[in-house]
Amino acid sequence: MVYRIGFRAVVRVGLLLLSTVLLTWAVVCKEWLVCAGGALGLLLSLRLYGQMLRRQREGLLLILEAIKNGDYTFRLPDMYRRDISLGMFNTAANRVGQILMDEKQAMEVKEKYYEVILQHVTTGVMVVSEENRVVMSNEAALHLLQVPRLDSLCQLPEDKQEAKECFLTLQPGENGNLLIHTPQGVRQLLVRVVSLVQEQIPLRIFTLNDVRNVLDEREMDAWVKLTRVLVHEIMNGMTPVCSLSASMLNKPALTAEQLHDGLTAIHATSQGLLAFVENYRKFTSLPKPRPDVVALDELLAEVKALQLIPSHIRLTCEVRPAHLMVYADRHLLRQVFVNLLRNAVQAIGDTAGRIAVTATLAGNEHVLVYVSNDGPAIRTEDAEQLFVPFYTTKPGGSGIGLSVSRQIMVQSNGNITLLPPGTRGWNTTFLLEFY
């Protein structure tokens, strides 16, 4: 077969060359009969070449149309016996089609894989087009919204009009809270939305999370940690009391000195327990906040006037822009800064050090306040327990300063977090964020 293909190719090329030579010779020698034969041979060669180009063009158009329609199963006939050039073109085109078919199958497998994952997550996901048509929604989203099926936001029933309004008005990058009434009670959902463009089609992706489940898990975890600390502190206080009282009861006769020493130890331990209970009362009995507009530069000036910082430590405060305002309880917020500055002073110790308080306005209109110091960085194992009530690494520390500070920040519609060591060039940095 290869011999035949090569022979036909040689014949075509030879016919083209012979016709060209005969035509040129006949024109020069004015042999018009030979000229006519050479012209016919040249026309025949051009006609065969034109047929080949037409077939290649038809094959190429077929391929492009199939790719446009997402059909990669096209197969062009092998035509080696009739035309080696066209056969090579069709073979290459079939190879391209096979590669595209393999890629499509691999993509379908990935899509199925991601779809299975999406259907088994507890977070609800909805993809909505510009015309408010629901392109895709997983089972979690339908379950959270209490609807059996959703093809369009307009299909939401009358009792879900609040959800419809939330989906229509929520802008990309914003968060919203949504209340859904179910037979088991009211369900609170946290709704987030982002936007993207796929195949020149604007889409919005909504994620829905049941806030109550998250809060229940965090609340349970917090109570477990708090109970562990309470048991630890009470056992530490009661163990020596029980041991000492048992020892005193087992002695047949006690001298006045022994009785005095025993009662002194019991009294000291009792005082420690009373102090612990008093700290617990402070932690659980924060006054109700009375929020108002507070100028941070004025508040920080008041805190500096308390003279909490010793002379060997340099404190700098910077507010950008000037007169930056937050909405919070002035007295409770002052207590947060006092707690953080005292902790920073204790961390630095007797060596020279620096403390910096920087307040800025973020792009999302959140107010960020960084309280940093160059004392030793907090260990990772301690950082995980830092906001647990009564957890402390300092001798004689109460362990409620940071937990109370977090309570105050949450009540002020904000939060307090410990940033990783090295953030902004400081060993320790606490971030106060006001939403």
Side-chain angles (χ1 to χ4, degrees):
M1 179 178 177
V2 175
Y3 170 76
R4 291 180 180 178
I5 294 171
F7 178 74
R8 289 177 181 175
V10 170
V11 169
R12 287 187 179 182
V13 174
L15 178 61
L16 178 61
L17 292 176
L18 180 60
S19 300
T20 304
V21 171
L22 284 176
L23 180 60
T24 304
W25 178 81
V27 170
V28 173
C29 298
K30 297 183 179 180
E31 295 289 338
W32 306 118
L33 183 61
V34 178
C35 182
L40 288 175
L42 184 61
L43 290 174
L44 179 61
S45 299
L46 293 175
R47 183 173 181 276
L48 293 175
Y49 182 71
Q51 288 179 348
M52 182 190 69
L53 291 180
R54 178 176 55 81
R55 289 171 181 170
Q56 288 182 352
R57 184 177 70 253
E58 291 175 351
L60 182 60
L61 292 175
L62 175 63
I63 293 172
L64 293 177
E65 188 67 24
I67 293 176
K68 180 181 178 181
N69 296 325
D71 180 15
Y72 306 121
T73 60
F74 61 84
R75 290 295 178 268
L76 301 180
D78 295 332
M79 304 181 67
Y80 281 104
R81 294 187 179 183
R82 296 175 55 188
D83 193 318
I84 184 172
S85 300
L86 188 60
M88 293 174 64
F89 173 81
N90 290 354
T91 299
N94 291 338
R95 178 58 179 162
V96 171
Q98 184 62 45
I99 293 174
L100 294 176
M101 186 66 182
D102 294 342
E103 289 294 327
K104 181 182 179 182
Q105 291 177 348
M107 186 63 69
E108 289 176 349
V109 171
K110 288 183 180 180
E111 289 179 355
K112 188 66 177 177
Y113 171 73
Y114 292 134
E115 182 180 351
V116 170
I117 293 178
L118 193 61
Q119 293 297 338
H120 287 81
V121 297
T122 57
T123 298
V125 179
M126 283 199 326
V127 182
V128 181
S129 68
E130 201 172 22
E131 297 81 17
N132 297 324
R133 184 173 59 87
V134 179
V135 179
M136 190 280 300
S137 61
N138 63 352
E139 292 295 331
L142 300 179
H143 174 71
L144 291 173
L145 292 174
Q146 294 288 294
V147 291
R149 181 176 176 178
L150 191 61
D151 297 321
S152 173
L153 294 181
C154 300
Q155 293 181 351
L156 287 169
E158 291 294 330
D159 60 339
K160 301 292 189 304
Q161 289 305 303
E162 182 182 351
K164 178 180 177 181
E165 187 69 21
C166 178
F167 293 137
L168 293 178
T169 58
L170 203 61
Q171 297 300 315
E174 295 182 349
N175 299 336
N177 291 312
L178 184 60
L179 298 179
I180 299 295
H181 297 274
T182 68
Q184 293 77 27
V186 178
R187 176 179 294 158
Q188 182 179 358
L189 304 182
L190 176 63
V191 184
R192 296 185 176 95
V193 58
V194 296
S195 63
L196 60 84
V197 178
Q198 184 181 33
E199 298 179 356
Q200 299 182 349
I201 300 176
L203 298 174
R204 289 171 295 162
I205 301 179
F206 293 91
T207 58
L208 299 86
N209 288 283
D210 191 343
V211 178
R212 185 66 261 170
N213 290 342
V214 177
L215 292 179
D216 285 345
E217 293 177 3
R218 292 183 177 179
E219 184 177 347
M220 181 62 67
D221 183 59
W223 275 111
V224 169
K225 292 179 179 178
L226 177 58
T227 303
R228 188 181 300 126
V229 174
L230 289 174
V231 171
H232 176 74
E233 292 294 332
I234 292 174
M235 290 298 296
N236 283 347
M238 293 303 299
T239 299
V241 172
C242 295
S243 176
L244 186 58
S245 59
S247 176
M248 294 174 66
L249 289 174
N250 291 331
K251 289 185 177 181
L254 291 174
T255 64
E257 183 179 358
Q258 291 174 330
L259 182 61
H260 179 270
D261 292 342
L263 291 177
T264 301
I266 292 175
H267 175 72
T269 306
S270 301
Q271 287 294 108
L273 282 174
L274 284 176
F276 176 77
V277 173
E278 177 63 18
N279 287 329
Y280 182 79
R281 186 190 65 80
K282 292 179 181 178
F283 172 72
T284 57
S285 305
L286 278 177
K288 185 177 180 180
R290 296 180 179 179
D292 197 0
V293 177
V294 179
L296 285 177
D297 53 354
E298 296 178 0
L299 181 62
L300 291 175
E302 294 177 8
V303 175
K304 290 181 69 175
L306 297 175
Q307 299 182 352
L308 302 171
I309 312 301
S311 58
H312 65 278
I313 299 177
R314 183 163 61 93
L315 171 64
T316 59
C317 298
E318 183 180 5
V319 179
R320 300 191 308 265
H323 308 297
L324 186 59
M325 305 285 186
V326 295
Y327 190 69
D329 187 303
R330 188 182 196 89
H331 302 289
L332 293 178
L333 187 56
R334 184 192 298 112
Q335 186 61 43
V336 172
F337 284 112
V338 169
N339 291 340
L340 292 177
L341 292 178
R342 282 178 175 169
N343 287 347
V345 169
Q346 292 174 357
I348 295 173
D350 297 330
T351 60
R354 294 179 301 132
I355 301 174
V357 181
T358 306
T360 62
L361 183 63
N364 54 4
E365 299 301 321
H366 291 185
V367 176
L368 307 180
V369 182
Y370 299 92
V371 182
S372 310
N373 70 80
D374 59 359
I378 299 175
R379 298 183 306 171
T380 303
E381 55 269 28
D382 293 330
E384 296 175 353
Q385 309 288 332
L386 207 58
F387 295 99
V388 176
F390 308 107
Y391 179 86
T392 181
T393 59
K394 296 175 294 186
S398 64
I400 66 169
L402 288 176
S403 56
V404 168
S405 297
R406 171 165 281 184
Q407 278 197 71
I408 294 173
M409 288 300 299
V410 171
Q411 292 177 353
S412 302
N413 192 28
N415 198 9
I416 177 174
T417 54
L418 174 65
L419 302 182
T423 302
R424 301 171 62 87
W426 294 88
N427 293 340
T428 304
T429 299
F430 287 91
L431 171 62
L432 307 179
E433 184 171 7
F434 298 86
Y435 304 131

